[in-house]
């Protein structure tokens, strides 16, 4: 009986360590996801700005239709 209790205590300790490690990993991943979402947002803004610049340049280069 005493051996069984000791085994259960060891398993509980192991599981607690695993949960702690998983929790830490999850936190790190959440931080990284948040960072990457911000990067995507920033890149999308830059792409949109570049698109607008290109459209503006094209419009400026166009000749009126009567030429």
């Amino acid at each position: 009986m005493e051996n069984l209790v000791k085994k259960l205590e060891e398993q509980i300790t192991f599981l607690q360590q695993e949960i702690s490690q998983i929790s830490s990993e999850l936190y790190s991943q959440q931080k990284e996801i948040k960072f990457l979402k911000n990067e995507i947002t920033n890149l999308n803004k830059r792409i949109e700005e570049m698109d607008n610049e290109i459209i503006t340049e094209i419009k400026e280069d166009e000749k009126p239709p009567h030429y």
Side-chain angles (χ1 to χ4, degrees), residues 14-66:
F14 173 78
L15 290 173
Q16 286 173 334
Q17 290 171 347
E18 288 294 305
I19 288 172
S20 178
Q21 184 178 354
I22 290 170
S23 178
S24 177
E25 277 296 315
L26 180 61
Y27 177 74
S28 295
Q29 288 176 354
Q30 287 174 333
K31 280 177 51 178
E32 187 173 6
I33 288 170
K34 185 176 181 180
F35 172 78
L36 291 171
K37 282 182 174 181
N38 285 335
E39 285 295 301
I40 289 172
T41 300
N42 291 337
L43 287 171
N44 281 333
K45 285 179 184 176
R46 287 180 61 199
I47 289 171
E48 190 174 314
E49 288 172 359
M50 291 174 73
D51 279 349
N52 288 336
E53 286 177 12
I54 291 173
I55 290 172
T56 302
E57 286 178 11
I58 290 173
K59 285 182 177 180
E60 288 175 353
D61 288 345
E62 285 182 354
K63 293 183 178 180
H66 62 279

